[in-house]
């Protein structure tokens, strides 16, 4: 039976994701883990993708403890064959692909002179190439779904053009572009493609670029008009909404979920 949208118990809105199979990359922690748990709570079957198997299994255990369904697919999305591995795992277990969340990313902030080709290529492979080819691999199955939704996770860095964030920001700006162009290309097929561009969110990724994490969090909070950094669960709620048939008339959107960070306050 295909997922459907209807009024739930006591008049609560049914997100229409019960029984859907959704692939979530970067699912071992932060936004990806929060999204996977929320999807499972909405009745979806979740394919957890990430490089660290132990973290994926922790998320899987928490989902199954709540009577949800999930499988782990450890994969480095920078590897060219990973897209096929992930989609085949989803189809092999659930015989369908209804949604895709391209959340996995790498982030390093360095001046121009400190970059090497390997680091540059890792950003491009993980942050741009992987979402593109994962969607390509999933597309035949997505077209058979009643959900047919993709959510990319970009960043406010793609809009702000911060000094020192050239490579990471470039890849996120490119993901915004891909979202809009692929939304137009796939709209005739009924496949929706949207994007969320979070600002500072309390996730482990900051430890990959900050020498002083406490100072980094203070600085990040100071950049946000609402005066704080966000929580992974706040982003996850928007991801699930965009995946849902509730948002069936929305495609090509890049939503700044950043506490007002990208507002021009000059």
């Amino acid at each position: 039976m295909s997922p459907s949208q209807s009024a739930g118990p006591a008049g609560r809105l049914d997100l229409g994701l019960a029984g859907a199979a959704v692939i979530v990359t970067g699912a071992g922690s932060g936004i990806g883990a929060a999204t996977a748990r929320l999807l499972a709570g909405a009745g979806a079957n979740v394919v957890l993708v990430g490089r660290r198997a132990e973290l994926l299994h922790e998320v899987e255990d928490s989902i199954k403890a709540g009577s949800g369904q999930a499988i782990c697919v450890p994969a480095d999305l920078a590897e060219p064959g990973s897209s096929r591995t992930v989609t085949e795992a989803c189809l092999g277990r659930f015989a369908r692909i209804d949604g895709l969340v391209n959340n996995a990313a790498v982030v390093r902030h360095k001046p121009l002179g400190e970059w090497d080709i390997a680091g540059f290529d890792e950003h491009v492979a993980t942050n741009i190439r992987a979402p593109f080819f994962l969607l390509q691999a999933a597309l035949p199955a997505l077209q058979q779904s009643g959900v047919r939704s993709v959510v990319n996770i970009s960043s406010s860095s793609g809009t702000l053009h911060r000094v020192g964030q050239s490579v990471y920001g470039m890849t996120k700006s490119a993901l915004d572009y891909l979202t809009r162009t692929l939304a137009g290309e796939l709209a005739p097929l009924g496949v929706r493609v949207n994007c969320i561009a979070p600002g500072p969110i309390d996730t482990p990724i900051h430890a990959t670029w900050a020498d002083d994490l406490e100072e980094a969090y203070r600085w990040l909070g100071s950049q946000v008009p609402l005066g704080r950094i966000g929580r992974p669960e706040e982003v996850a709620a928007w991801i699930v909404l965009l995946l849902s048939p509730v948002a069936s008339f929305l495609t090509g959107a890049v939503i700044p979920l950043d506490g007002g960070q990208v507002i021009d306050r000059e």
Side-chain angles (χ1 to χ4, degrees), residues 179-197:
T179 296
R180 293 187 175 105
T181 57
L182 292 176
E185 179 180 338
L186 301 181
L189 304 177
V191 176
R192 297 185 299 111
V193 185
N194 291 294
C195 182
I196 295 174

Side-chain angles (χ1 to χ4, degrees), residues 100-184:
L100 170 61
V101 180
N102 283 311
N103 169 69
V106 294
V107 51
R108 305 285 187 275
H109 299 326
K110 295 188 263 186
L112 174 63
E114 294 182 12
W115 280 95
D116 57 25
I117 291 176
F120 186 98
D121 287 351
E122 180 189 21
H123 276 67
V124 172
T126 305
N127 298 359
I128 306 174
R129 191 179 73 193
F132 184 90
F133 284 103
L134 189 51
L135 173 51
Q136 182 191 71
L139 185 58
L142 277 173
Q143 292 180 72
Q144 306 305 312
S145 167
V147 176
R148 288 177 287 185
S149 184
V150 179
V151 180
N152 296 322
I153 307 304
S154 177
S155 169
S156 59
S157 292
T159 300
L160 292 170
H161 308 142
R162 298 284 194 202
V163 171
Q165 299 184 13
S166 56
V167 175
Y168 176 70
M170 171 196 71
T171 63
K172 291 306 185 178
S173 183
L175 190 56
D176 293 346
Y177 185 94
L178 282 178
T179 296
R180 293 187 175 105
T181 57
L182 292 176

Side-chain angles (χ1 to χ4, degrees), residues 64-114:
K64 289 183 175 179
S67 300
Q69 294 294 318
I71 62 169
C72 298
V73 185
D76 182 353
L77 294 171
E79 296 296 325
S82 61
S83 297
R84 190 64 58 188
T85 299
V86 170
T87 54
E88 287 179 354
C90 184
L91 291 170
R93 175 63 178 84
F94 300 116
R96 61 192 301 155
I97 301 174
D98 298 282
L100 170 61
V101 180
N102 283 311
N103 169 69
V106 294
V107 51
R108 305 285 187 275
H109 299 326
K110 295 188 263 186
L112 174 63
E114 294 182 12

Side-chain angles (χ1 to χ4, degrees), residues 161 244 264:
H161 308 142
S244 166
D264 186 354

